[in-house]
Amino acid sequence: MNKRVESALNDQINKEAVSSQYYLAMASWAECNGLNGTAKFMYTHSDEERFHMLKLIKFVNERGGEAIIGSIEKAPTSFKDLESVFEKLLAHEIKVTESINNIVDVCLQEKDYTTHNFIQWYVSEQLEEEALARTILDKIKLIGGDKGGLYLFDRDLENASIDFSGGSSNEGQN
Ligand code: OFO
């Protein structure tokens, strides 16, 4: 496997692991603060990020590279409020999108069209994740300080079936 591409994919493996831990921290915080719907959403999202990581690990190893499982920074333990949680989530996803775009660039520079094709799944996934985070954030801003609104929002999130898989329900898990 091309070494620059392998290194970019290994960076991404680490970023997906960081994302998974980050959303797990948000899930735990939400659960401790009576926001069960938000907790469910974040636990699911954390699992999906782990699937994104596994998908990359398998791809690198199957193509003759070596996936590296590195260390990750400690996730935050507390958050100011629900709005700040989703603001952080959106900011994080924007950074991940930049990182995916960087892999696309490296693939084109190195003429690695197989990885370029593989990474397109992540390009679509990031589009959807950013759009979802923006929609949720807009709703939270509309609610403002209304506690009843917050209760209903959290309940809706608990009942919503949210698809993080980029369109096809199994793709992210392969
Ligand atoms: Fe892996 O999609 Fe978000 O970060």
Side-chain angles (χ1 to χ4, degrees):
M1 181 172 217
N2 176 284
K3 286 294 160 198
R4 269 189 80 206
V5 172
E6 183 177 348
S7 164
L9 292 177
N10 268 319
D11 280 354
Q12 192 60 36
I13 286 169
N14 190 269
K15 287 188 171 84
E16 301 292 346
V18 169
S19 299
S20 180
Q21 287 299 96
Y22 200 22
Y23 300 146
L24 195 56
M26 289 176 178
S28 180
W29 174 86
E31 198 163 57
C32 290
N33 284 278
L35 296 162
N36 292 344
T38 306
K40 185 179 165 196
F41 174 93
M42 290 297 179
Y43 279 126
T44 306
H45 202 162
S46 172
D47 282 348
E48 289 294 335
E49 297 298 350
R50 182 175 155 77
F51 286 128
H52 297 172
M53 177 189 70
L54 292 173
K55 191 176 167 88
L56 280 160
I57 290 170
K58 285 182 184 167
F59 180 79
V60 170
N61 289 340
E62 278 166 10
R63 290 206 61 222
E66 189 177 351
I68 308 292
I69 312 303
S71 57
I72 55 172
E73 67 210 45
K74 183 177 181 292
T77 48
S78 69
F79 300 89
K80 192 171 132 235
D81 53 23
L82 196 59
E83 184 170 336
S84 96
V85 163
F86 279 95
E87 263 167 3
K88 285 183 193 312
L89 184 144
L90 176 59
H92 184 77
E93 289 302 331
I94 290 170
K95 276 207 274 175
V96 173
T97 301
E98 282 169 14
S99 170
I100 295 290
N101 288 342
N102 177 56
I103 297 175
V104 173
D105 256 4
V106 173
C107 288
L108 290 175
Q109 283 166 23
E110 300 297 325
K111 299 192 185 337
D112 181 345
Y113 301 116
T114 307
T115 306
H116 182 269
N117 184 45
F118 166 80
I119 212 71
Q120 293 312 305
W121 183 86
Y122 288 83
V123 171
S124 314
E125 178 70 12
Q126 283 311 120
L127 251 181
E128 291 192 9
E129 286 195 357
E130 277 192 36
L132 179 62
R134 283 196 179 90
T135 305
I136 292 176
L137 201 48
D138 285 347
K139 283 190 181 152
I140 293 172
K141 284 186 173 149
L142 269 178
I143 293 165
D146 174 6
K147 287 212 160 71
L150 185 62
Y151 171 80
L152 292 175
F153 164 84
D154 189 64
R155 200 191 56 186
D156 285 354
L157 215 45
E158 189 161 17
N159 296 328
S161 78
I162 292 157
D163 180 9
F164 292 106
S165 65
S168 157
S169 54
N170 297 319
E171 253 183 319
Q173 302 171 23
N174 293 330

PDB file of all heavy atoms in Angstrom, residues 16 19 23 45 49 52 92-93 96 125-126 129, ligand 1:
ATOM      1  N   GLU A  16     -11.233   8.486  14.214  1.00  0.00           N
ATOM      2  CA  GLU A  16     -12.531   7.810  14.423  1.00  0.00           C
ATOM      3  C   GLU A  16     -12.618   7.274  15.858  1.00  0.00           C
ATOM      4  O   GLU A  16     -13.678   7.314  16.480  1.00  0.00           O
ATOM      5  CB  GLU A  16     -12.730   6.675  13.411  1.00  0.00           C
ATOM      6  CG  GLU A  16     -12.698   7.090  11.944  1.00  0.00           C
ATOM      7  CD  GLU A  16     -13.875   7.953  11.501  1.00  0.00           C
ATOM      8  OE1 GLU A  16     -14.873   8.049  12.224  1.00  0.00           O
ATOM      9  OE2 GLU A  16     -13.767   8.552  10.416  1.00  0.00           O
ATOM     10  N   SER A  19     -13.382  10.195  17.993  1.00  0.00           N
ATOM     11  CA  SER A  19     -14.805  10.556  17.832  1.00  0.00           C
ATOM     12  C   SER A  19     -15.667   9.629  18.688  1.00  0.00           C
ATOM     13  O   SER A  19     -16.581  10.083  19.389  1.00  0.00           O
ATOM     14  CB  SER A  19     -15.258  10.410  16.374  1.00  0.00           C
ATOM     15  OG  SER A  19     -14.532  11.258  15.535  1.00  0.00           O
ATOM     16  N   TYR A  23     -18.069  10.965  21.790  1.00  0.00           N
ATOM     17  CA  TYR A  23     -19.533  10.846  21.841  1.00  0.00           C
ATOM     18  C   TYR A  23     -19.965   9.953  23.001  1.00  0.00           C
ATOM     19  O   TYR A  23     -21.048  10.138  23.543  1.00  0.00           O
ATOM     20  CB  TYR A  23     -20.085  10.358  20.489  1.00  0.00           C
ATOM     21  CG  TYR A  23     -19.725  11.333  19.374  1.00  0.00           C
ATOM     22  CD1 TYR A  23     -19.454  10.914  18.083  1.00  0.00           C
ATOM     23  CD2 TYR A  23     -19.629  12.693  19.639  1.00  0.00           C
ATOM     24  CE1 TYR A  23     -19.096  11.820  17.083  1.00  0.00           C
ATOM     25  CE2 TYR A  23     -19.267  13.602  18.658  1.00  0.00           C
ATOM     26  CZ  TYR A  23     -18.997  13.153  17.381  1.00  0.00           C
ATOM     27  OH  TYR A  23     -18.639  14.052  16.418  1.00  0.00           O
ATOM     28  N   HIS A  45     -24.324   6.996  18.263  1.00  0.00           N
ATOM     29  CA  HIS A  45     -23.325   7.695  17.440  1.00  0.00           C
ATOM     30  C   HIS A  45     -21.914   7.195  17.769  1.00  0.00           C
ATOM     31  O   HIS A  45     -21.085   6.996  16.885  1.00  0.00           O
ATOM     32  CB  HIS A  45     -23.437   9.197  17.691  1.00  0.00           C
ATOM     33  CG  HIS A  45     -22.875  10.032  16.593  1.00  0.00           C
ATOM     34  ND1 HIS A  45     -23.170  11.350  16.433  1.00  0.00           N
ATOM     35  CD2 HIS A  45     -22.012   9.732  15.599  1.00  0.00           C
ATOM     36  CE1 HIS A  45     -22.512  11.825  15.393  1.00  0.00           C
ATOM     37  NE2 HIS A  45     -21.808  10.863  14.872  1.00  0.00           N
ATOM     38  N   GLU A  49     -19.171   5.486  15.156  1.00  0.00           N
ATOM     39  CA  GLU A  49     -17.791   5.944  14.939  1.00  0.00           C
ATOM     40  C   GLU A  49     -16.813   4.773  15.081  1.00  0.00           C
ATOM     41  O   GLU A  49     -15.823   4.689  14.364  1.00  0.00           O
ATOM     42  CB  GLU A  49     -17.425   7.072  15.909  1.00  0.00           C
ATOM     43  CG  GLU A  49     -18.254   8.337  15.752  1.00  0.00           C
ATOM     44  CD  GLU A  49     -18.102   9.007  14.398  1.00  0.00           C
ATOM     45  OE1 GLU A  49     -17.214   8.630  13.618  1.00  0.00           O
ATOM     46  OE2 GLU A  49     -18.900   9.913  14.116  1.00  0.00           O
ATOM     47  N   HIS A  52     -16.862   2.999  11.894  1.00  0.00           N
ATOM     48  CA  HIS A  52     -16.066   3.721  10.891  1.00  0.00           C
ATOM     49  C   HIS A  52     -14.582   3.368  11.053  1.00  0.00           C
ATOM     50  O   HIS A  52     -13.859   3.188  10.082  1.00  0.00           O
ATOM     51  CB  HIS A  52     -16.223   5.235  11.048  1.00  0.00           C
ATOM     52  CG  HIS A  52     -17.623   5.733  10.835  1.00  0.00           C
ATOM     53  ND1 HIS A  52     -18.013   7.033  11.090  1.00  0.00           N
ATOM     54  CD2 HIS A  52     -18.735   5.089  10.398  1.00  0.00           C
ATOM     55  CE1 HIS A  52     -19.296   7.158  10.820  1.00  0.00           C
ATOM     56  NE2 HIS A  52     -19.757   6.004  10.405  1.00  0.00           N
ATOM     57  N   HIS A  92     -16.598  19.249  15.825  1.00  0.00           N
ATOM     58  CA  HIS A  92     -15.777  18.042  15.686  1.00  0.00           C
ATOM     59  C   HIS A  92     -15.992  17.410  14.308  1.00  0.00           C
ATOM     60  O   HIS A  92     -15.030  17.037  13.625  1.00  0.00           O
ATOM     61  CB  HIS A  92     -16.127  17.049  16.801  1.00  0.00           C
ATOM     62  CG  HIS A  92     -15.273  15.836  16.795  1.00  0.00           C
ATOM     63  ND1 HIS A  92     -13.978  15.841  17.275  1.00  0.00           N
ATOM     64  CD2 HIS A  92     -15.500  14.585  16.347  1.00  0.00           C
ATOM     65  CE1 HIS A  92     -13.451  14.638  17.112  1.00  0.00           C
ATOM     66  NE2 HIS A  92     -14.359  13.855  16.555  1.00  0.00           N
ATOM     67  N   GLU A  93     -17.248  17.306  13.900  1.00  0.00           N
ATOM     68  CA  GLU A  93     -17.540  16.701  12.591  1.00  0.00           C
ATOM     69  C   GLU A  93     -16.941  17.523  11.445  1.00  0.00           C
ATOM     70  O   GLU A  93     -16.491  16.961  10.447  1.00  0.00           O
ATOM     71  CB  GLU A  93     -19.050  16.526  12.397  1.00  0.00           C
ATOM     72  CG  GLU A  93     -19.663  15.435  13.258  1.00  0.00           C
ATOM     73  CD  GLU A  93     -19.028  14.060  13.041  1.00  0.00           C
ATOM     74  OE1 GLU A  93     -18.543  13.774  11.945  1.00  0.00           O
ATOM     75  OE2 GLU A  93     -18.997  13.282  14.014  1.00  0.00           O
ATOM     76  N   VAL A  96     -13.446  16.524  11.205  1.00  0.00           N
ATOM     77  CA  VAL A  96     -13.319  15.181  10.604  1.00  0.00           C
ATOM     78  C   VAL A  96     -13.506  15.271   9.087  1.00  0.00           C
ATOM     79  O   VAL A  96     -12.792  14.617   8.319  1.00  0.00           O
ATOM     80  CB  VAL A  96     -14.321  14.190  11.243  1.00  0.00           C
ATOM     81  CG1 VAL A  96     -14.323  12.851  10.508  1.00  0.00           C
ATOM     82  CG2 VAL A  96     -13.983  13.959  12.716  1.00  0.00           C
ATOM     83  N   GLU A 125     -20.838  10.210   4.169  1.00  0.00           N
ATOM     84  CA  GLU A 125     -21.168  10.079   5.588  1.00  0.00           C
ATOM     85  C   GLU A 125     -20.987  11.414   6.309  1.00  0.00           C
ATOM     86  O   GLU A 125     -21.832  11.839   7.108  1.00  0.00           O
ATOM     87  CB  GLU A 125     -20.240   9.016   6.189  1.00  0.00           C
ATOM     88  CG  GLU A 125     -20.397   8.756   7.659  1.00  0.00           C
ATOM     89  CD  GLU A 125     -21.693   8.053   8.019  1.00  0.00           C
ATOM     90  OE1 GLU A 125     -22.369   7.567   7.099  1.00  0.00           O
ATOM     91  OE2 GLU A 125     -22.015   8.012   9.211  1.00  0.00           O
ATOM     92  N   GLN A 126     -19.879  12.102   6.019  1.00  0.00           N
ATOM     93  CA  GLN A 126     -19.612  13.376   6.690  1.00  0.00           C
ATOM     94  C   GLN A 126     -20.655  14.425   6.318  1.00  0.00           C
ATOM     95  O   GLN A 126     -21.083  15.207   7.160  1.00  0.00           O
ATOM     96  CB  GLN A 126     -18.196  13.866   6.347  1.00  0.00           C
ATOM     97  CG  GLN A 126     -17.103  13.144   7.096  1.00  0.00           C
ATOM     98  CD  GLN A 126     -17.354  13.058   8.596  1.00  0.00           C
ATOM     99  OE1 GLN A 126     -17.447  11.972   9.134  1.00  0.00           O
ATOM    100  NE2 GLN A 126     -17.503  14.190   9.288  1.00  0.00           N
ATOM    101  N   GLU A 129     -23.656  13.620   8.416  1.00  0.00           N
ATOM    102  CA  GLU A 129     -23.468  13.870   9.852  1.00  0.00           C
ATOM    103  C   GLU A 129     -23.458  15.360  10.158  1.00  0.00           C
ATOM    104  O   GLU A 129     -24.014  15.797  11.170  1.00  0.00           O
ATOM    105  CB  GLU A 129     -22.180  13.215  10.345  1.00  0.00           C
ATOM    106  CG  GLU A 129     -22.324  11.712  10.454  1.00  0.00           C
ATOM    107  CD  GLU A 129     -21.230  11.040  11.253  1.00  0.00           C
ATOM    108  OE1 GLU A 129     -20.296  11.732  11.705  1.00  0.00           O
ATOM    109  OE2 GLU A 129     -21.307   9.831  11.430  1.00  0.00           O
TER     110      GLU A 129
HETATM  111 FE1  OFO B   1     -16.820   8.990  11.489  1.00  0.00          FE
HETATM  112  O1  OFO B   1     -18.161  10.089  11.067  1.00  0.00           O
HETATM  113 FE2  OFO B   1     -18.339  11.383  12.446  1.00  0.00          FE
HETATM  114  O2  OFO B   1     -16.718  11.720  12.944  1.00  0.00           O
END
